Amino acid sequence: MDGIVTDVAVGVKRGSDELLSSSLYNSPNSSISGMVVTANGNDNKKLRVEDRMDCAPSRVLHIRKLPNEVSETEVIALGLPFGKVTNILMLKGKNQAFLELGSEEAAITMVNYYTAVTPHVRNVPVFIQYSNHKELKTDSALNQRAQAVLQAVTAVQSASTPMSGTAVSECALTPAQSPVLRIIIDNMFYPVTLDVLQQIFTKFGTVLKIITFTKNNQFQALLQFSDPMNAQQAKLALDGQNIYNACCTLRIDFSKLVNLNVKYNNDKSRDYTRPELPAGDGQPAMDPSVTAAFNKDSSLLGTPSGMVSPYSSGGAFSSSLSFGQTGGALSPLSAAAAAAAAAGRVALSGVSHSNSGVLLVSNLNEEMVTPQSLFTLFGVYGDAQRVKILYNKKDSALIQMADGNQAQLAMSHLNGQKMYGKIIRVTLSKHQTVQLPREGLDDQGLTKDFTNSPLHRFKKPGSKNFQNIFPPSATLHLSNIPQTITEEDLKTLFENSGGTVKAFKFFQDHKMALLQMSTVEEAIQALIDLHNYNLGDNHHLRVSFSKSTI
């Protein structure tokens, strides 16, 4: 074998321990998966495991008992807090890997630390020891994936100062970054709830607190881990990934905050260490069964009957989650399963309403609300088929959307918004349909069937409207504007709806514009009043919420 490099394809079987114990550890030059390993001796005797445990310190570390489906990113993350990672060799068939650090000192620090604290990957304990090799030489043509992953983490590595010396200091155990991550969701086609975030990020460590909010017309969250190292691993593995296929993209940075102050446990914020916190501010109080579940198990997402589980129920990602091989999506969720995941409570109630497209809206201004106004507002997030204001409780209404996913989307965006001066509450209804009044019965116009309305935004498959669904915001997008209409005309029109226009901007073609009201509530009111408004010459104004600001 001396002087000869053989190409061994990934997955080629060798004798049980020959690949690692004999060939890899003792040949001066051996090639596995396109990587040449240079040994530090010519002793061809087979190394026993107990001998390998006592290998002299080396910047190449041998990692054993890795879980199935582990990614290069997760292995690299083990070494990042201790210094620069310069190479990696994955032996997936053996559930093993070799990791090369930038210096022997960094490797010593890492081994010392993980001797005291058992490292875990996907909640599985792994074992780390010195390798018998001093370096890993890469055949880049056959190891492109690993090299690409290494390049991707360079930015993260540059933020961490490599540790030196053999002593394990405080700074060696805790990277410089905060345990708090700032998360922005781009292209949010499906609702992303607090429970969905908790389910995803808990794979990397203990999630203590989450706060969600909308800023610059984007859904954002602050999430605090118990350990900055977990935050670093989560950022490395999840930044740029999609929660659902081709949408809901995670953009992750470290927050300047080191601790989150959570006052309420509700649908916007949660402190998992304090289940006794109040709901506050009119937010729906947490069900006692939810509180009990927090005490026992923070995994709340269940599998509704007949649906694929979005995530595995155990501590690891399900086998379908393979970063970099599924188009960047965390899970191949169907729209219905995405909606079920977003509901977050299906596992607790034991009954899934995720197939129901009916919403219950309460705390409405009964003096002002009409079926038409509800149809217009909820129609921003789906095709409202029927609307029924309850006869004996006129501050509540049932709205039947085209499907369960649209109902979830409307609920996630409109729950807690102000309509006609009152904060509305939106939940899933136990009803499967909205019943029309019996023929000949006058219900005072409280029920209306919009099934055949020409104003549905999402009837056409592949409509661009699917790509332009944003949370309610003070800035409105206007389209279908005739050339004869001026900026002053539109400002006057919108101020007559009862608000103040703060800014205005025409697009180049004059057919579209952005218009900013002074508050989100004013923008909601203007959209209800002026969507489909006839501007003349059969030009009906189209109004929607914008993600942009002026």
Side-chain angles (χ1 to χ4, degrees), residues 33-143:
S33 300
M35 188 165 291
V36 181
V37 185
T38 304
N40 64 330
N42 292 315
D43 185 2
N44 285 321
K45 288 188 296 183
K46 198 167 188 175
L47 270 174
R48 293 172 302 179
V49 170
E50 55 268 33
D51 292 336
R52 291 209 301 271
M53 294 296 286
D54 297 324
C55 281
S58 163
R59 65 191 185 100
V60 179
L61 300 177
H62 179 210
I63 304 168
R64 298 183 293 121
K65 299 202 173 177
L66 288 163
N68 293 327
E69 304 297 328
V70 69
S71 68
E72 287 92 340
T73 302
E74 291 164 301
V75 175
I76 292 170
L78 289 170
L80 279 180
F82 306 95
K84 186 175 177 62
V85 176
T86 51
N87 221 333
I88 182 175
L89 167 60
M90 300 289 290
L91 301 172
K92 291 194 176 181
K94 290 277 186 179
N95 297 90
Q96 301 184 17
F98 288 88
L99 197 66
E100 180 187 275
L101 274 70
S103 68
E104 195 172 284
E105 290 80 6
I108 291 169
T109 304
M110 180 172 165
V111 169
N112 285 348
Y113 175 56
Y114 285 133
T115 300
V117 180
T118 304
H120 285 72
V121 176
R122 301 192 184 199
N123 288 349
V124 175
V126 298
F127 299 89
I128 299 176
Q129 63 203 48
Y130 297 117
S131 165
N132 197 37
H133 305 289
K134 292 300 183 187
E135 64 178 319
L136 300 174
K137 289 186 179 176
T138 307
D139 181 341
S140 58
L142 293 173
N143 195 42

Side-chain angles (χ1 to χ4, degrees), residues 310-325:
Y311 308 99
S312 63
S313 57
F317 281 115
S318 65
S319 59
S320 65
L321 307 185
S322 176
F323 294 136
Q325 296 177 1

Side-chain angles (χ1 to χ4, degrees), residues 160-238:
S160 301
T161 305
M163 312 302 170
S164 61
T166 56
V168 182
S169 64
E170 273 298 307
C171 64
L173 305 188
T174 309
Q177 287 91 349
S178 162
V180 180
L181 295 176
R182 184 177 70 116
I183 302 156
I184 296 174
I185 310 289
D186 283 337
N187 192 21
M188 196 168 95
F189 181 66
Y190 298 128
V192 175
T193 66
L194 190 143
D195 292 315
V196 168
L197 292 172
Q198 192 269 348
Q199 180 73 32
I200 294 168
F201 282 84
T202 198
K203 307 303 178 189
F204 297 90
T206 303
V207 174
L208 301 182
K209 306 169 187 176
I210 308 177
I211 298 172
T212 63
F213 55 96
T214 299
K215 184 178 179 182
N216 299 329
N217 298 333
Q218 282 188 306
F219 181 84
Q220 301 190 25
L222 293 169
L223 183 146
Q224 182 178 341
F225 278 101
S226 59
D227 188 330
M229 225 150 91
N230 300 139
Q232 189 176 44
Q233 291 173 348
K235 179 185 184 301
L236 183 65
L238 296 176

